[in-house]
Structures are given as structure tokens and as C-alpha cells.
Amino acid sequence: MEILFEKDKKVLVTGGAGFIGGALIRRLLINNSCEIFNLDKLGYASDLTGIDSILSKAKSDDRERYKFIKLNLVNQKRLREALFSINPDIIFHLAAETHVDRSIDNPSEFINSNIIGTFNLLNTVKEFLEESSIKKRNSFRFHHISTDEVFGSLGNKGHFTESSRYQPRSPYSSTKAASDHLVNAWHHTYGLPTIITNCSNNYGPWQFPEKLLPLIINRALSRRSIPMYGDGLNRRDWLYVEDHIDAILLASKKGKVGQTFCIGGGEEKTNKEVIFQTCKFLEKYLDLDYSCTNLIKNVQDRPGHDFRYSIDSSYAREELGWAPKNTFNEGLKRTIEWYVKNQDWSKKILKKANYNISRMGILKE
Ligand code: NAD
């Protein structure tokens, strides 16, 4: 993809120590010449190894284009100081608590980061723009990265679109829905130049190993049982993370202020299909002397587990000229190979987070 942000542009990414934010920053370091500010509280799922590996190979000019700021969006005073000192031209807002099971056990973290954090950021951006030049106000963008989960659960038919009704059903998705509403309100009421993208299930390298794909891979590699929630028939629309980054960058450049785009990989699979396909691939790829599929174990379903998500991306495809480049088979192969090669990274990040891939999000009897 061509250079989108030139040398004189300052790009602020919140949540850049996370899975998707990290992929965005790596892309900005490799393909762009802008200054990049990564603002993250460094939560349990955060890791900067992927960005550091790019920086270690970069020229000193490129290293100087990147700055990390450890900051929790809940801290309004420090956020204000940081934002005014950065003086950004665009903000990609990805910082959020993201794991549904954790949101069932500890919803308050989600209220704080996803709702209060977004509110603080919007209010600070509003103040910042009020003190900026007209030229800056006209060119500035606030790009909010959200999820298809805000639209709730589909039956066997139909797809989510930009006009789907908000019907979030988990603590996670309800806090993301709240953040979408706040972004829209700050656009309509205060004229904030916003863009929202709602995307489907991302997968790819560097994802914290509590999420489905790395969880299956790591448990299979260590010969531990592989949990399949309920009957495994819940369906998700899988999007390779680099295709998502393409969509984010295109939407930020070509999208008009106030627009929303639904971004999906168009690769709908049941969890059961994903688990079996991953196990079969691992058995063949590593020529294992044990069966990964025999490790699969049906476990109690997630409370309120959404049955199906599926996105109709035709608006984004037409307006932005975006299309995913990776099929699920290609993306899955690349992801599995990466996790097999980077088992030490998974172990390191799990140890750092003091997490042993145990089950979360079950209601107490
Ligand atoms: P992630 O959990 O890997 O990373 C999130 C990052 O945000 C972490 O580094 C965390 O420390 C940071 N963060 C959280 N709260 C913060 C706060 N209060 N202040 C500063 N930093 C904070 O998540 P991800 O998978 O990279 O998701 C990024 C964004 O994309 C989220 O907003 C998520 O809702 C959205 N999204 C993700 C997916 C997916 O499949 N992963 C799908 C749709 C939308």
C-alpha cells in the first residue's frame, strides 16, 4: 500500500501495545514516514516485542519517529498533558479491554477503560481542537475502532451492516456500544471529525494467547485439553489482522467525517470448524505422534454466548476500494506457523500476565 501519512504528520495510536494496535504501528513504521505516538496503559495483554523487533532493524531516523507513552486513559489530567504536547493530526483509538470472558468476571475494568477512557479521550480532543487552528480542525480525524459485537447476535440468516440496530449482549460489547454512542454524540453535538469502523473477529500473529486461535494452538502444542464452548456451533466472521489494518488506513484517508464502516473477512466459520481445522493442520505440519483432535473437549458454554456474527462489507468495499487479501486458509496457515515458531513469546507473555490459560467467564452456582 502506498505511503498514507507523510513525514510532517503526527499519528497517535491508543492501545498500540495490543494485538491490532501493534499491527497498525508496525505498518506505520514500515510503510509510512509519519511520527507515531503509542499511548497504552500496558495492561496484562500488552506487549511491545513486535514493535521493538521492527525498531531494532530500523534506521535511526525511523527509530526517532516512534515514541511510547505509558498512560491510562482514565487519568484525565495526564491524558490532557500528553495530547496537547503530542499535537496529533489523527488519532486511532484502539485502547480497550477486549476479552468477553474477562468482562463477565470483572465488568468494572471494562466500564473504566472502554467507557470512561473513551469519554476522557473525546473530551480532551474536543478541548484540543477548540484551541487549534481552523486548518488543523478541518484536517484532523478521530478514528474509533469498534466491533461487530455491538450489533448483538444473528440467527442463521442475515448480516450486519452500517444500519444494523445496536443490541449488545455481553459486558464487553455493551461497553464498546457505549463508546460508539459517545463517539457519535461528540461528532453530532460538538462537531468532532470522527470515523468509526466496526470489524469482525481478528486473528494473526502477536495476539494474546487467551483468544481462540492462539489458545487452541498453545494447548495443542502442550498436549492439554482444548476447550470447545457448548456445541461449538457459534459462528464468527474471521478477518486476518493485516486486512483489517488495510481497511483502517483506507477508512482514515478516504472516509468522510461522520461515516461508519463495517469490516468483515467474509469468512464465516463455526468455532468447531476452526478448532478442527487448526488441530488437523498442526498434526500434519508438525507430524505429531499424538492426535490434537482427541484433545478437544466440550465445556460449559459462555453465559449469553452470541450465536452468530456476520458482516456485509459491501459499503466499505465500494466506498474505500477495500477487500481482504487473505483467505481464511492462508491466514490460518500463517498464524499457526507463527505461533509454532514463537512458542517462547507465548510462554513469556503468559508468565508476565500471570495467566495459565485457565477458564474464565463462568457464572458461580
Ligand atoms: P488487545 O486487548 O490486544 O489490546 C488492547 C490494548 O489497549 C492493550 O494493550 C491495553 O493495555 C490497552 N488499553 C486498555 N485499556 C486502556 C486504557 N484505559 N488506557 C490505555 N490503554 C488501554 O485488543 P485488540 O484485539 O488489539 O483490540 C483493539 C481494538 O479493536 C479494541 O478497541 C477492540 O474492541 C477492537 N476490536 C478487536 C477485535 C478482535 O478480534 N481482536 C475485533 C473487533 C474490534
Side-chain angles (χ1 to χ4, degrees):
M1 189 181 280
E2 77 276 21
I3 290 188
L4 292 169
F5 297 104
E6 297 295 347
K7 216 175 179 154
D8 60 338
K9 294 288 177 238
K10 294 179 176 184
V11 178
L12 170 59
V13 179
T14 74
F19 166 51
I20 303 172
L24 175 59
I25 289 179
R26 291 195 301 277
R27 181 76 72 84
L28 291 171
L29 277 167
I30 294 167
N31 277 7
N32 285 255
S33 46
C34 54
E35 279 186 66
I36 305 155
F37 298 84
N38 178 0
L39 188 157
D40 197 296
K41 71 175 179 184
L42 292 186
Y44 75 94
S46 304
D47 185 64
L48 295 166
T49 315
I51 294 172
D52 288 344
S53 69
I54 302 283
L55 289 173
S56 67
K57 289 177 236 141
K59 294 191 202 113
S60 68
D61 280 5
D62 277 335
R63 279 200 293 275
E64 279 162 24
R65 292 199 287 123
Y66 170 80
K67 193 167 176 209
F68 177 74
I69 301 147
K70 183 174 186 305
L71 198 154
N72 192 325
L73 293 175
V74 169
N75 187 334
Q76 205 168 5
K77 186 169 171 284
R78 278 205 57 219
L79 176 60
R80 193 178 189 281
E81 285 161 7
L83 197 95
F84 276 74
S85 110
I86 295 167
N87 186 18
D89 295 290
I90 183 161
I91 297 177
F92 292 101
H93 177 38
L94 294 99
E97 289 297 331
T98 60
H99 191 43
V100 178
D101 287 346
R102 284 183 194 259
S103 81
I104 295 166
D105 290 343
N106 187 9
S108 61
E109 276 297 313
F110 289 70
I111 305 283
N112 286 334
S113 283
N114 303 1
I115 304 181
I116 307 291
T118 302
F119 163 71
N120 283 346
L121 186 60
L122 288 166
N123 245 355
T124 313
V125 170
K126 173 179 163 282
E127 278 180 44
F128 164 72
L129 287 181
E130 280 163 0
E131 294 183 24
S132 299
S133 66
I134 293 179
K135 188 170 171 235
K136 177 90 170 197
R137 265 182 261 161
N138 287 341
S139 61
F140 183 87
R141 292 289 179 272
F142 182 95
H143 186 146
H144 177 62
I145 314 304
S146 191
T147 167
D148 58 357
E149 299 188 33
V150 297
F151 303 125
S153 182
L154 288 166
N156 279 319
K157 286 189 185 150
H159 308 280
F160 297 132
T161 68
E162 289 72 13
S163 55
S164 290
R165 221 174 90 193
Y166 274 66
Q167 299 185 77
R169 294 162 23 113
S170 76
Y172 164 65
S173 58
S174 62
T175 58
K176 287 300 290 186
S179 69
D180 290 13
H181 291 317
L182 290 173
V183 172
N184 274 322
W186 261 244
H187 166 60
H188 289 290
T189 309
Y190 305 110
L192 234 68
T194 59
I195 289 171
I196 299 180
T197 43
N198 294 88
C199 72
S200 61
N201 250 38
N202 280 223
Y203 68 103
W206 302 109
Q207 188 173 31
F208 187 75
E210 69 189 350
K211 300 283 168 66
L212 185 62
L213 260 182
L215 185 118
I216 307 167
I217 301 164
N218 284 320
R219 289 194 73 111
L221 291 174
S222 56
R223 280 181 99 144
R224 291 170 74 187
S225 67
I226 300 167
M228 185 158 73
Y229 288 11
D231 56 12
L233 296 181
N234 304 63
R235 301 178 79 86
R236 301 291 178 258
D237 178 349
W238 291 83
L239 174 66
Y240 192 62
V241 65
E242 293 299 332
D243 288 326
H244 183 200
I245 302 302
D246 284 349
I248 291 176
L249 290 172
L250 281 168
S252 72
K253 277 284 161 180
K254 294 189 174 180
K256 295 182 194 74
V257 164
Q259 265 182 321
T260 290
F261 298 99
C262 281
I263 312 291
E267 292 271 18
E268 222 186 296
K269 308 273 170 213
T270 63
N271 289 345
K272 192 172 178 176
E273 283 168 332
V274 172
I275 296 172
F276 273 86
Q277 194 174 338
T278 305
C279 285
K280 294 264 179 240
F281 182 90
L282 277 170
E283 285 165 6
K284 209 167 155 199
Y285 176 53
L286 296 176
D287 194 18
L288 295 175
D289 61 2
Y290 60 93
S291 156
C292 293
T293 40
N294 282 349
L295 297 171
I296 300 168
K297 194 176 152 215
N298 288 82
V299 297
Q300 190 184 334
D301 206 353
R302 170 188 283 164
H305 201 177
D306 287 342
F307 172 60
R308 178 173 165 253
Y309 307 136
S310 173
I311 282 191
D312 173 357
S313 304
S314 45
Y315 183 66
R317 286 171 187 252
E318 281 158 28
E319 287 277 302
L320 307 174
W322 172 82
K325 296 188 186 107
N326 296 277
T327 63
F328 183 69
N329 286 349
E330 290 161 351
L332 181 68
K333 180 172 175 292
R334 205 167 301 140
T335 305
I336 296 175
E337 287 171 354
W338 188 90
Y339 277 98
V340 169
K341 281 198 195 87
N342 290 280
Q343 291 177 56
D344 285 349
W345 175 81
S346 292
K347 285 183 192 137
K348 187 189 87 181
I349 186 170
L350 285 168
K351 195 169 169 210
K352 199 171 74 181
N354 198 16
Y355 176 54
N356 66 356
I357 339 186
S358 56
R359 179 74 195 271
M360 288 178 293
I362 313 180
L363 302 181
K364 294 188 180 69
E365 292 289 306

